[in-house]
Amino acid sequence: MSDEIQVLVRGEGDAIVIDLVGDVTTFAEEAINQAYQSASDDGAVNIIFNFRENDYINSAGIAILIGVVTEARKRDQKLLMTGLSAHFQKIFRMVGLTQYADLYPSVEEALASLNGEAKT
Amino acid sequence: MGPRSNRVVELRIPSELGYEKIAREAVASVAYRLDFSEEKIEDIKTAISEACTNAIRYGSGSDARMKVVVILTADEDKLDILIKDPGASGTPPTNVKIPDINGMVEGKHRLGGMGLYIIRELVDEAGFVEAVDEDEGNQFRMVIYRVDDGEKAESEASASDTDNGGTTNE
């Protein structure tokens, strides 16, 4: 009953964007970690995880993201997250994930913040 | 199904990760019909997903031959959710810790263990119900009120907590 997640890696401005399309649960672990590894292998300094607003994220999915945070800190990478619904923004704040990754409404706004423009 | 109706919906899902989404969609449908706000519906969906995931992973060892039973009781002002599993891994935890994300990031703690904390933050009451018979398995109960009414919810939650030994969200 697992839903495949589609994970796409693309360069965008000063960042690598990892688009997550589908459920972020334990089944997404391999795909997310591979995408992160691929972005890191390409020398990414800024990585944007771009979620699709209405997808399902559970605590196992959040644990995967905490694993990514752990690796990113070791490599001095900056993580940003975009596209989350208000509900999941609340959950991410609740568990403390926002200490390690800033949230933005969109990829464009995250990129603007990297360029020193005001956070919206 | 009007807001004054009292209805019980019972689901039996295979103990296999992914099936918690059936419960998630069912509870969303019931809550929508009860005029719960969009924010509360999202809270309930996440809470039931986490509770069913725990029941599948820990309460029945992800053995798809086993079933997790979800009973949704809707009344005028609240939704009462009971989740039963076979209790395959023994006594469930009674204490809920705030996740130490810094400890996880620094490698001091294992990743995970956030489900019960998230549930407790999202609903008005949550806790394991003390089983009368040890063969009965685990029963996890959550209650969420349709309208925020701090005093009423707190008073009823305290009464329920005394009755069943569950934890109450404040």
Side-chain angles (χ1 to χ4, degrees):
Chain A
M1 183 90 184
S2 65
D3 282 351
E4 287 283 320
I5 186 171
Q6 284 190 309
V7 182
L8 307 167
V9 182
R10 60 186 163 101
E12 194 76 58
D14 292 333
I16 298 286
V17 178
I18 299 177
D19 293 303
L20 303 175
V21 180
D23 298 340
V24 182
T25 67
T26 192
F27 300 113
E29 184 168 16
E30 190 178 343
I32 289 175
N33 286 339
Q34 278 181 359
Y36 167 71
Q37 192 59 49
S38 163
S40 294
D41 290 347
D42 287 345
V45 175
N46 303 309
I47 300 177
I48 300 173
F49 278 89
N50 182 35
F51 296 84
R52 193 170 60 172
E53 186 172 338
N54 293 317
D55 283 334
Y56 166 45
I57 306 171
N58 68 7
S59 61
I62 292 171
I64 296 165
L65 297 172
I66 295 172
V68 170
V69 162
T70 304
E71 290 303 312
R73 268 169 55 93
K74 290 177 189 165
R75 299 176 196 203
D76 277 336
Q77 293 163 322
K78 183 176 176 63
L79 289 185
L80 306 92
M81 296 187 182
T82 61
L84 289 162
S85 67
H87 174 72
F88 284 111
Q89 289 180 36
K90 177 172 77 177
I91 302 283
F92 279 31
R93 287 193 183 96
M94 192 184 287
V95 299
L97 198 48
T98 48
Q99 294 172 55
Y100 298 98
D102 290 334
L103 307 184
Y104 294 88
S106 67
V107 170
E108 291 70 26
E109 283 156 293
L111 290 169
S113 82
L114 292 173
N115 292 329
E117 296 172 27
K119 182 177 175 180
T120 54
Chain B
M1 189 169 117
R4 290 189 177 276
S5 305
N6 188 330
R7 295 281 188 275
V8 177
V9 175
E10 185 168 330
L11 301 172
R12 289 168 64 84
I13 58 173
S15 178
E16 183 178 337
L17 286 175
Y19 279 94
E20 76 278 6
K21 289 194 293 182
I22 302 289
R24 186 172 180 265
E25 295 309 317
V27 77
S29 179
V30 171
Y32 175 78
R33 287 162 186 269
L34 286 170
D35 283 337
F36 275 70
S37 68
E38 194 175 319
E39 183 180 354
K40 277 185 180 275
I41 291 173
E42 291 303 315
D43 289 348
I44 299 168
K45 285 165 70 178
T46 291
I48 201 167
S49 299
E50 294 296 332
C52 286
T53 298
N54 284 344
I56 290 168
R57 292 186 70 177
Y58 306 114
S60 41
S62 296
D63 181 344
R65 293 169 299 179
M66 295 188 185
K67 302 289 180 208
V68 170
V69 178
V70 181
I71 301 170
L72 310 172
T73 304
D75 73 18
E76 190 176 341
D77 62 346
K78 69 178 190 292
L79 189 52
D80 195 314
I81 303 168
L82 190 67
I83 294 159
K84 298 181 179 181
D85 66 56
S89 52
T91 309
T94 52
N95 60 332
V96 179
K97 293 179 185 168
I98 297 173
D100 178 5
I101 188 168
N102 300 324
M104 291 184 217
V105 169
E106 289 163 15
K108 293 178 184 167
H109 303 305
R110 72 173 181 87
L111 298 177
M114 294 174 281
L116 280 176
Y117 169 75
I118 290 172
I119 292 168
R120 215 178 66 165
E121 290 294 305
L122 294 177
V123 302
D124 294 305
E125 299 170 42
F128 284 97
V129 179
E130 203 169 322
V132 177
D133 181 346
E134 65 178 27
D135 294 333
E136 205 172 21
N138 299 322
Q139 296 190 27
F140 187 78
R141 179 171 177 251
M142 301 184 287
V143 178
I144 189 160
Y145 291 86
R146 185 167 60 86
V147 178
D148 277 325
D149 181 343
E151 284 186 16
K152 183 181 174 189
E154 198 169 316
S155 154
E156 292 186 15
S158 299
S160 170
D161 196 34
T162 306
D163 287 341
N164 61 30
T167 59
T168 301
N169 194 26
E170 292 178 354

